[in-house]
PDB file of all heavy atoms in Angstrom:
ATOM      1  N   TYR A   1      24.313 -13.152  16.287  1.00  0.00           N
ATOM      2  CA  TYR A   1      25.321 -12.517  17.057  1.00  0.00           C
ATOM      3  C   TYR A   1      26.495 -12.219  16.175  1.00  0.00           C
ATOM      4  O   TYR A   1      27.458 -11.467  16.617  1.00  0.00           O
ATOM      5  CB  TYR A   1      25.647 -13.138  18.401  1.00  0.00           C
ATOM      6  CG  TYR A   1      26.363 -14.500  18.139  1.00  0.00           C
ATOM      7  CD1 TYR A   1      27.689 -14.596  18.170  1.00  0.00           C
ATOM      8  CD2 TYR A   1      25.582 -15.605  18.052  1.00  0.00           C
ATOM      9  CE1 TYR A   1      28.316 -15.781  18.136  1.00  0.00           C
ATOM     10  CE2 TYR A   1      26.182 -16.925  17.997  1.00  0.00           C
ATOM     11  CZ  TYR A   1      27.515 -16.934  17.943  1.00  0.00           C
ATOM     12  OH  TYR A   1      28.065 -18.317  17.746  1.00  0.00           O
ATOM     13  N   ALA A   2      26.648 -12.948  15.008  1.00  0.00           N
ATOM     14  CA  ALA A   2      27.910 -12.760  14.091  1.00  0.00           C
ATOM     15  C   ALA A   2      27.694 -13.387  12.827  1.00  0.00           C
ATOM     16  O   ALA A   2      26.812 -14.152  12.618  1.00  0.00           O
ATOM     17  CB  ALA A   2      29.135 -13.322  14.866  1.00  0.00           C
ATOM     18  N   GLU A   3      28.662 -13.080  11.968  1.00  0.00           N
ATOM     19  CA  GLU A   3      28.633 -13.840  10.691  1.00  0.00           C
ATOM     20  C   GLU A   3      30.169 -14.271  10.534  1.00  0.00           C
ATOM     21  O   GLU A   3      30.981 -13.489  10.873  1.00  0.00           O
ATOM     22  CB  GLU A   3      28.287 -12.940   9.527  1.00  0.00           C
ATOM     23  CG  GLU A   3      26.868 -12.623   9.429  1.00  0.00           C
ATOM     24  CD  GLU A   3      26.438 -11.877   8.172  1.00  0.00           C
ATOM     25  OE1 GLU A   3      26.962 -12.188   7.128  1.00  0.00           O
ATOM     26  OE2 GLU A   3      25.390 -11.147   8.291  1.00  0.00           O
ATOM     27  N   ALA A   4      30.377 -15.507  10.018  1.00  0.00           N
ATOM     28  CA  ALA A   4      31.769 -16.037   9.872  1.00  0.00           C
ATOM     29  C   ALA A   4      31.674 -16.937   8.595  1.00  0.00           C
ATOM     30  O   ALA A   4      31.005 -17.811   8.547  1.00  0.00           O
ATOM     31  CB  ALA A   4      32.128 -16.893  11.102  1.00  0.00           C
ATOM     32  N   GLY A   5      32.598 -16.564   7.571  1.00  0.00           N
ATOM     33  CA  GLY A   5      32.676 -17.341   6.351  1.00  0.00           C
ATOM     34  C   GLY A   5      31.359 -17.374   5.679  1.00  0.00           C
ATOM     35  O   GLY A   5      31.047 -18.417   5.062  1.00  0.00           O
ATOM     36  N   GLY A   6      30.560 -16.315   5.685  1.00  0.00           N
ATOM     37  CA  GLY A   6      29.333 -16.315   5.075  1.00  0.00           C
ATOM     38  C   GLY A   6      28.166 -16.901   5.815  1.00  0.00           C
ATOM     39  O   GLY A   6      27.061 -16.993   5.267  1.00  0.00           O
ATOM     40  N   ASP A   7      28.436 -17.590   6.937  1.00  0.00           N
ATOM     41  CA  ASP A   7      27.439 -18.268   7.705  1.00  0.00           C
ATOM     42  C   ASP A   7      26.986 -17.239   8.820  1.00  0.00           C
ATOM     43  O   ASP A   7      27.783 -16.604   9.512  1.00  0.00           O
ATOM     44  CB  ASP A   7      28.035 -19.429   8.418  1.00  0.00           C
ATOM     45  CG  ASP A   7      28.205 -20.628   7.374  1.00  0.00           C
ATOM     46  OD1 ASP A   7      27.614 -20.609   6.403  1.00  0.00           O
ATOM     47  OD2 ASP A   7      29.200 -21.260   7.647  1.00  0.00           O
ATOM     48  N   VAL A   8      25.625 -17.219   9.084  1.00  0.00           N
ATOM     49  CA  VAL A   8      25.104 -16.424  10.079  1.00  0.00           C
ATOM     50  C   VAL A   8      25.090 -17.291  11.368  1.00  0.00           C
ATOM     51  O   VAL A   8      24.603 -18.387  11.310  1.00  0.00           O
ATOM     52  CB  VAL A   8      23.627 -16.067   9.746  1.00  0.00           C
ATOM     53  CG1 VAL A   8      22.975 -15.311  11.011  1.00  0.00           C
ATOM     54  CG2 VAL A   8      23.614 -15.232   8.480  1.00  0.00           C
ATOM     55  N   LEU A   9      25.776 -16.717  12.477  1.00  0.00           N
ATOM     56  CA  LEU A   9      25.753 -17.529  13.715  1.00  0.00           C
ATOM     57  C   LEU A   9      24.720 -16.951  14.665  1.00  0.00           C
ATOM     58  O   LEU A   9      24.455 -15.799  14.894  1.00  0.00           O
ATOM     59  CB  LEU A   9      27.156 -17.267  14.390  1.00  0.00           C
ATOM     60  CG  LEU A   9      28.414 -17.529  13.512  1.00  0.00           C
ATOM     61  CD1 LEU A   9      29.594 -17.222  14.176  1.00  0.00           C
ATOM     62  CD2 LEU A   9      28.307 -19.141  13.191  1.00  0.00           C
ATOM     63  N   LYS A  10      23.936 -17.822  15.255  1.00  0.00           N
ATOM     64  CA  LYS A  10      22.810 -17.523  16.121  1.00  0.00           C
ATOM     65  C   LYS A  10      22.872 -18.194  17.402  1.00  0.00           C
ATOM     66  O   LYS A  10      23.509 -19.213  17.597  1.00  0.00           O
ATOM     67  CB  LYS A  10      21.546 -18.023  15.349  1.00  0.00           C
ATOM     68  CG  LYS A  10      21.241 -17.345  14.044  1.00  0.00           C
ATOM     69  CD  LYS A  10      19.894 -17.947  13.436  1.00  0.00           C
ATOM     70  CE  LYS A  10      19.665 -17.483  12.048  1.00  0.00           C
ATOM     71  NZ  LYS A  10      18.490 -18.104  11.478  1.00  0.00           N
ATOM     72  N   LEU A  11      22.240 -17.571  18.328  1.00  0.00           N
ATOM     73  CA  LEU A  11      22.126 -18.138  19.679  1.00  0.00           C
ATOM     74  C   LEU A  11      20.658 -18.091  20.231  1.00  0.00           C
ATOM     75  O   LEU A  11      19.984 -17.332  19.702  1.00  0.00           O
ATOM     76  CB  LEU A  11      23.062 -17.525  20.727  1.00  0.00           C
ATOM     77  CG  LEU A  11      22.922 -16.013  20.998  1.00  0.00           C
ATOM     78  CD1 LEU A  11      21.782 -15.805  22.073  1.00  0.00           C
ATOM     79  CD2 LEU A  11      24.201 -15.395  21.334  1.00  0.00           C
ATOM     80  N   ASP A  12      20.334 -18.911  21.170  1.00  0.00           N
ATOM     81  CA  ASP A  12      19.125 -18.897  22.027  1.00  0.00           C
ATOM     82  C   ASP A  12      19.406 -18.471  23.268  1.00  0.00           C
ATOM     83  O   ASP A  12      20.381 -18.891  23.960  1.00  0.00           O
ATOM     84  CB  ASP A  12      18.396 -20.349  21.921  1.00  0.00           C
ATOM     85  CG  ASP A  12      18.024 -20.892  20.730  1.00  0.00           C
ATOM     86  OD1 ASP A  12      17.932 -20.048  19.703  1.00  0.00           O
ATOM     87  OD2 ASP A  12      17.914 -22.063  20.574  1.00  0.00           O
ATOM     88  N   ALA A  13      18.646 -17.573  23.792  1.00  0.00           N
ATOM     89  CA  ALA A  13      18.720 -16.920  25.175  1.00  0.00           C
ATOM     90  C   ALA A  13      17.508 -17.383  26.092  1.00  0.00           C
ATOM     91  O   ALA A  13      16.411 -17.418  25.618  1.00  0.00           O
ATOM     92  CB  ALA A  13      18.941 -15.478  25.104  1.00  0.00           C
ATOM     93  N   TYR A  14      17.876 -17.944  27.248  1.00  0.00           N
ATOM     94  CA  TYR A  14      16.840 -18.275  28.320  1.00  0.00           C
ATOM     95  C   TYR A  14      17.051 -17.644  29.567  1.00  0.00           C
ATOM     96  O   TYR A  14      18.264 -17.508  30.029  1.00  0.00           O
ATOM     97  CB  TYR A  14      16.905 -19.814  28.432  1.00  0.00           C
ATOM     98  CG  TYR A  14      16.844 -20.689  27.224  1.00  0.00           C
ATOM     99  CD1 TYR A  14      17.942 -20.862  26.521  1.00  0.00           C
ATOM    100  CD2 TYR A  14      15.642 -21.262  26.920  1.00  0.00           C
ATOM    101  CE1 TYR A  14      17.811 -21.681  25.339  1.00  0.00           C
ATOM    102  CE2 TYR A  14      15.536 -22.106  25.810  1.00  0.00           C
ATOM    103  CZ  TYR A  14      16.618 -22.304  25.064  1.00  0.00           C
ATOM    104  OH  TYR A  14      16.346 -23.029  23.938  1.00  0.00           O
ATOM    105  N   TRP A  15      16.116 -16.949  30.171  1.00  0.00           N
ATOM    106  CA  TRP A  15      16.281 -16.382  31.445  1.00  0.00           C
ATOM    107  C   TRP A  15      15.124 -16.493  32.408  1.00  0.00           C
ATOM    108  O   TRP A  15      14.072 -16.558  31.846  1.00  0.00           O
ATOM    109  CB  TRP A  15      16.843 -15.016  31.342  1.00  0.00           C
ATOM    110  CG  TRP A  15      15.713 -13.959  30.720  1.00  0.00           C
ATOM    111  CD1 TRP A  15      14.866 -13.201  31.304  1.00  0.00           C
ATOM    112  CD2 TRP A  15      15.495 -13.801  29.277  1.00  0.00           C
ATOM    113  NE1 TRP A  15      14.079 -12.483  30.452  1.00  0.00           N
ATOM    114  CE2 TRP A  15      14.425 -12.891  29.197  1.00  0.00           C
ATOM    115  CE3 TRP A  15      15.995 -14.502  28.134  1.00  0.00           C
ATOM    116  CZ2 TRP A  15      13.899 -12.521  27.913  1.00  0.00           C
ATOM    117  CZ3 TRP A  15      15.580 -14.054  26.892  1.00  0.00           C
ATOM    118  CH2 TRP A  15      14.386 -13.129  26.825  1.00  0.00           C
ATOM    119  N   PRO A  16      15.371 -16.532  33.668  1.00  0.00           N
ATOM    120  CA  PRO A  16      14.162 -16.762  34.626  1.00  0.00           C
ATOM    121  C   PRO A  16      13.260 -15.470  34.622  1.00  0.00           C
ATOM    122  O   PRO A  16      13.648 -14.337  34.344  1.00  0.00           O
ATOM    123  CB  PRO A  16      14.830 -17.065  35.953  1.00  0.00           C
ATOM    124  CG  PRO A  16      16.170 -16.436  35.831  1.00  0.00           C
ATOM    125  CD  PRO A  16      16.559 -16.456  34.316  1.00  0.00           C
ATOM    126  N   ALA A  17      12.044 -15.681  35.066  1.00  0.00           N
ATOM    127  CA  ALA A  17      11.081 -14.586  35.242  1.00  0.00           C
ATOM    128  C   ALA A  17      11.220 -13.955  36.614  1.00  0.00           C
ATOM    129  O   ALA A  17      10.704 -12.756  36.800  1.00  0.00           O
ATOM    130  CB  ALA A  17       9.672 -15.091  35.143  1.00  0.00           C
ATOM    131  N   THR A  18      11.945 -14.586  37.580  1.00  0.00           N
ATOM    132  CA  THR A  18      12.109 -14.015  38.862  1.00  0.00           C
ATOM    133  C   THR A  18      13.417 -13.322  39.013  1.00  0.00           C
ATOM    134  O   THR A  18      14.336 -13.481  38.264  1.00  0.00           O
ATOM    135  CB  THR A  18      12.002 -15.253  39.863  1.00  0.00           C
ATOM    136  OG1 THR A  18      13.136 -16.112  39.590  1.00  0.00           O
ATOM    137  CG2 THR A  18      10.658 -15.968  39.882  1.00  0.00           C
ATOM    138  N   HIS A  19      13.507 -12.381  40.059  1.00  0.00           N
ATOM    139  CA  HIS A  19      14.710 -11.713  40.266  1.00  0.00           C
ATOM    140  C   HIS A  19      15.623 -12.588  40.887  1.00  0.00           C
ATOM    141  O   HIS A  19      15.296 -13.590  41.584  1.00  0.00           O
ATOM    142  CB  HIS A  19      14.297 -10.477  41.156  1.00  0.00           C
ATOM    143  CG  HIS A  19      13.549  -9.496  40.614  1.00  0.00           C
ATOM    144  ND1 HIS A  19      13.967  -8.574  39.638  1.00  0.00           N
ATOM    145  CD2 HIS A  19      12.188  -9.136  40.742  1.00  0.00           C
ATOM    146  CE1 HIS A  19      12.985  -7.821  39.294  1.00  0.00           C
ATOM    147  NE2 HIS A  19      11.840  -8.104  39.930  1.00  0.00           N
ATOM    148  N   GLY A  20      16.999 -12.282  40.626  1.00  0.00           N
ATOM    149  CA  GLY A  20      18.080 -13.221  41.105  1.00  0.00           C
ATOM    150  C   GLY A  20      18.564 -12.863  42.277  1.00  0.00           C
ATOM    151  O   GLY A  20      17.869 -12.108  43.164  1.00  0.00           O
ATOM    152  N   PRO A  21      19.741 -13.299  42.658  1.00  0.00           N
ATOM    153  CA  PRO A  21      20.705 -13.811  41.766  1.00  0.00           C
ATOM    154  C   PRO A  21      20.297 -15.290  41.387  1.00  0.00           C
ATOM    155  O   PRO A  21      19.694 -16.003  41.964  1.00  0.00           O
ATOM    156  CB  PRO A  21      22.100 -13.753  42.471  1.00  0.00           C
ATOM    157  CG  PRO A  21      21.715 -13.861  43.837  1.00  0.00           C
ATOM    158  CD  PRO A  21      20.325 -13.143  44.056  1.00  0.00           C
ATOM    159  N   HIS A  22      20.803 -15.587  40.020  1.00  0.00           N
ATOM    160  CA  HIS A  22      20.504 -16.961  39.564  1.00  0.00           C
ATOM    161  C   HIS A  22      21.877 -17.481  39.001  1.00  0.00           C
ATOM    162  O   HIS A  22      22.755 -16.670  38.507  1.00  0.00           O
ATOM    163  CB  HIS A  22      19.569 -16.946  38.372  1.00  0.00           C
ATOM    164  CG  HIS A  22      18.175 -16.464  38.789  1.00  0.00           C
ATOM    165  ND1 HIS A  22      17.358 -17.253  39.535  1.00  0.00           N
ATOM    166  CD2 HIS A  22      17.440 -15.359  38.643  1.00  0.00           C
ATOM    167  CE1 HIS A  22      16.245 -16.689  39.817  1.00  0.00           C
ATOM    168  NE2 HIS A  22      16.251 -15.516  39.192  1.00  0.00           N
ATOM    169  N   PRO A  23      22.167 -18.799  39.022  1.00  0.00           N
ATOM    170  CA  PRO A  23      23.239 -19.304  38.389  1.00  0.00           C
ATOM    171  C   PRO A  23      23.194 -19.101  36.895  1.00  0.00           C
ATOM    172  O   PRO A  23      22.099 -18.912  36.387  1.00  0.00           O
ATOM    173  CB  PRO A  23      23.204 -20.862  38.794  1.00  0.00           C
ATOM    174  CG  PRO A  23      21.800 -21.071  39.083  1.00  0.00           C
ATOM    175  CD  PRO A  23      21.167 -19.759  39.452  1.00  0.00           C
ATOM    176  N   MET A  24      24.254 -19.238  36.150  1.00  0.00           N
ATOM    177  CA  MET A  24      24.307 -18.985  34.766  1.00  0.00           C
ATOM    178  C   MET A  24      25.228 -20.156  34.122  1.00  0.00           C
ATOM    179  O   MET A  24      26.082 -20.623  34.697  1.00  0.00           O
ATOM    180  CB  MET A  24      25.046 -17.600  34.470  1.00  0.00           C
ATOM    181  CG  MET A  24      25.054 -17.389  32.979  1.00  0.00           C
ATOM    182  SD  MET A  24      25.767 -15.770  32.723  1.00  0.00           S
ATOM    183  CE  MET A  24      26.806 -16.167  31.323  1.00  0.00           C
TER     184      MET A  24
END
């Protein structure tokens, strides 16, 4: 999602298979 000071910044995304609404 970004680079900072030469480091690559990453994230993991998790989401439900069912329709919401769901808490976040």
Side-chain angles (χ1 to χ4, degrees):
Y1 67 93
E3 289 188 31
D7 293 326
V8 174
L9 305 177
K10 300 177 182 180
L11 62 84
D12 296 339
Y14 302 82
W15 64 98
T18 59
H19 293 286
H22 297 287
M24 181 178 139

